[in-house]
Amino acid sequence: WIYTAILIPIANWASFGILDPQLGGAYEWLFAAAIVSANIRFRDAHEYQGTFGMINAWYMGLVFFYLTFNYGLWIAIVVHALYDITIFWTRGLMALFQQRNTATDLARLLFSWRN
């Protein structure tokens, strides 16, 4: 009941209906429940990334399901890898432009009240 009345309709709404054929169309409710359950586990695996990371993982999981059902598993794998590479590259590039604090700088900052 929880899947058919709450979780599947929420997932269908949250995915803007792109997974409507799989979540509510010709397939049985058990297939839709499997999609939602797998996506919840995918989201929970990204819990270490915080709230934004979990929300992002939820939506990206739905996108990967869409890609898998419409274009095949290999396309979803390649898109996931490209997404990860883009995120890591962007984070690395941003780190180059952030101020770096070495242990010596931190020690000076912490003990500057003594001077």
Side-chain angles (χ1 to χ4, degrees), residues 38-50 53-54 57-58:
N39 203 33
I40 288 171
R41 291 185 65 102
F42 182 73
R43 180 207 62 200
D44 290 346
H46 294 83
E47 187 176 8
Y48 68 94
Q49 294 176 341
M54 289 177 64
W58 169 261

Side-chain angles (χ1 to χ4, degrees), residues 8-30:
I8 294 170
I10 288 173
N12 196 23
W13 176 80
S15 67
F16 304 109
I18 64 169
L19 289 173
D20 190 51
Q22 290 82 20
L23 294 177
Y27 297 96
E28 296 289 328
W29 72 270
L30 191 57

Side-chain angles (χ1 to χ4, degrees), residues 66-82:
Y66 173 78
L67 292 172
T68 300
F69 292 134
N70 292 293
Y71 301 103
L73 181 61
W74 282 108
I75 296 298
I77 291 170
V78 168
V79 169
H80 191 303
L82 291 173

Side-chain angles (χ1 to χ4, degrees), residues 2-115:
I2 290 174
Y3 280 99
T4 57
I6 298 170
L7 295 177
I8 294 170
I10 288 173
N12 196 23
W13 176 80
S15 67
F16 304 109
I18 64 169
L19 289 173
D20 190 51
Q22 290 82 20
L23 294 177
Y27 297 96
E28 296 289 328
W29 72 270
L30 191 57
F31 186 74
I35 292 171
V36 171
S37 297
N39 203 33
I40 288 171
R41 291 185 65 102
F42 182 73
R43 180 207 62 200
D44 290 346
H46 294 83
E47 187 176 8
Y48 68 94
Q49 294 176 341
T51 304
F52 178 76
M54 289 177 64
I55 293 169
N56 185 45
W58 169 261
Y59 279 104
M60 290 307 296
L62 292 175
V63 168
F64 296 143
F65 271 116
Y66 173 78
L67 292 172
T68 300
F69 292 134
N70 292 293
Y71 301 103
L73 181 61
W74 282 108
I75 296 298
I77 291 170
V78 168
V79 169
H80 191 303
L82 291 173
Y83 177 80
D84 287 347
I85 290 167
T86 302
I87 294 298
F88 291 131
W89 184 81
T90 304
R91 289 183 71 196
L93 189 61
M94 289 175 60
L96 290 175
F97 296 106
Q98 291 178 348
Q99 179 182 358
R100 295 179 187 253
N101 292 326
T102 62
T104 307
D105 294 335
L106 291 175
R108 282 189 200 131
L109 181 66
L110 290 173
F111 299 110
S112 65
W113 58 271
R114 289 188 175 187
N115 293 337

